[in-house]
Amino acid sequence: MRSNRRALLAVVLSGCSAFETLNDPVDVEGTPRDAGRDARTVPLIDAGARPRPGPDGGVPAAPVRLQSLQAERPPPALSGGTLAVADDGSIAVAADPDRDRVYVIAVEGQAKVLQLPLGSEPGRVVLDGKGRAHVALRGAESLLTIDVATAQQLALTPVCTLPRGLAYDGARDAVVIACAGGELLTVAASTHAPIASVQLGLDLRDVVLQVDGSLLVTRYRSAELLHVSAAGQLLATVNPQSATQARFSSAGSIADGGLAGPQKVTLSPALAWKTVALPEGGALMLHQESQDDEISIGSGAGGDAGIGAGGGGGYGGGCETITQPSITSFSTEGAASASAPTTLFPHGLAVDLAISPDQQWVAVAEPGAYLQGQNTVEVLPRKALDSFSSCISGIGLGDYYQATAVAYDANGALYVFSREPAGLHVYRPGDALFSGTSIVPEREVVLALESVRDTGHELFHSDVGSGLSCAGCHGEALDDGHVWNFAGFGPRRTQTMRGGLLSTLPLHWEGDLASFQNLVDEVMTRRMGGFVVEPKFGETLAQWIDKQPPLQLGVATDIAAQRGKLLFESSEVGCATCHSGAHLTNNTSHDVGTGGLFQVPTLLGLALHPPFMHDGCAETLEARFDPSCGGGDQHGHTSQLTLAQITDLVSYLKTL
């Protein structure tokens, strides 16, 4: 994968294709695409309304948009947050990672498109107020800067492995880049000349500039927020506060599955999808929260089957499941307030958020509702984020497109980018919006005519009918780093889905699922309380997941990593006895002194997947060599290694 990125980088640096104006872009004054829809207002809806299992515990029906479709190229996993809008609404810039394009859309609705080399995967976008847009190219490991007035490329420069977050620093006319490899880089906005670089540790996601020049930087999987001084000094590390939520036992807190009354369950934060600045300083973070308490697994089908075995089905029911999106407010110094309840988003997957300039409204992109034909954008009153009511009401938008990014301009107009069909949708507040009743569609711009629908991609990111999606735990086809406490099994950490999953059969930590369809039946239908997935659809999901490449930080080029590679492959240490082949697993189960027989996992992309071991006992790779966690000499013969040798071995493992 690393060599493929380098080849792509060479193509990117050879020059992007020229901008071309789209033919006949659509500019519709308040007229949605679907005939028969109300063209003027969208009324207040119940955000919790969706098809649910019946009172007899029946299995949810298959989603209304489910078809057997396979894209020519497997689209990347959703990351969200690929839209930026000028304060005056004159220009919107949207990155389209599915089609490797960047769109520049003028206020009158005319759009121009920059076609990038395949695999560039444009991500975060930031406008700098000086007529430039900056785009992180994840796949090409580069920063792209364009002139939005002339639609010309100004600079294209390799910056780091997996660039993710962007912020513009007007005081220095600089772009700050957060990278998955842990680098926080500052470069000149016009030339990309290096200004500063600090290392903050792996898995950085978003970066938010504060009024005092300091930065709030997030980690993706752990949802940690780092407060960093203007000089690059780490001042504090905080997490969204774990929430305690009143729930019924059907959410999985009582092993017998009976309705024993409200139970308190504890949740931990994970998967910081998007963090945005607040006008007064501080930030809002959209992230998952996942249950820590013991979760029971039922034995039936459908609603009788899942975790907790209550009438809601699956891992929960109603608006209360074992993992759901949440929003946390942070102060300028990074102090966290109480997280919003995890009952705001009914379809279990939210990937982007934006706050209105008057701070009264928060818009959330909720692409998991697309297959159900329900709203993929929720507009919620910000004051509701401090409420612990269940299933609050909001304004629902976008039941005919799959929204992945949202943004406001300074006048309070809401902009939505949809990946399928590709378009920009603009809404303005209606006369009664501030009493919470309406919002008016103003304009729609079609950005691409070709579809990128892929059934596997859609199934992975969709609510299966119980308020859960695969991506809710496996964000970006990775893992959330969460350690689940399953009754009868003990602690089990989420596994990554990347790196050629079908070549690592059988599946699960115990290796008890012989085929991918077994995984679909056991997890999506039985445990998650979802609809029955026919084998033809299960196969499309398998093929999409299997094509998601591992995210790797580099190759073993430094001296320490080269020494570690020799140790890894040596017969004296024996790592390569089990971790062998292209996927670094021999696909068998072994008792390595950690409490039972467990499947040998792939080591591809290992560095980005802490904690380690099946129960997450090792927070770091170094901790894996503690015999009380890693199994001692039954798990590779390592007791004879010196501290320096273990350091070398870890250096090599981080390159896999």
Side-chain angles (χ1 to χ4, degrees), residues 375-399:
N375 298 300
T376 63
V377 178
E378 303 289 344
V379 182
L380 305 164
R382 187 186 176 189
K383 63 183 180 181
L385 303 183
D386 299 322
S387 167
F388 280 80
S389 61
S390 179
C391 293
I392 69 165
S393 294
I395 299 171
L397 307 169
D399 61 345

Side-chain angles (χ1 to χ4, degrees), residues 444-456:
E444 180 178 88
V445 182
V446 176
L447 296 174
L449 299 179
E450 73 274 25
S451 172
V452 292
R453 288 195 64 183
D454 183 282
T455 303

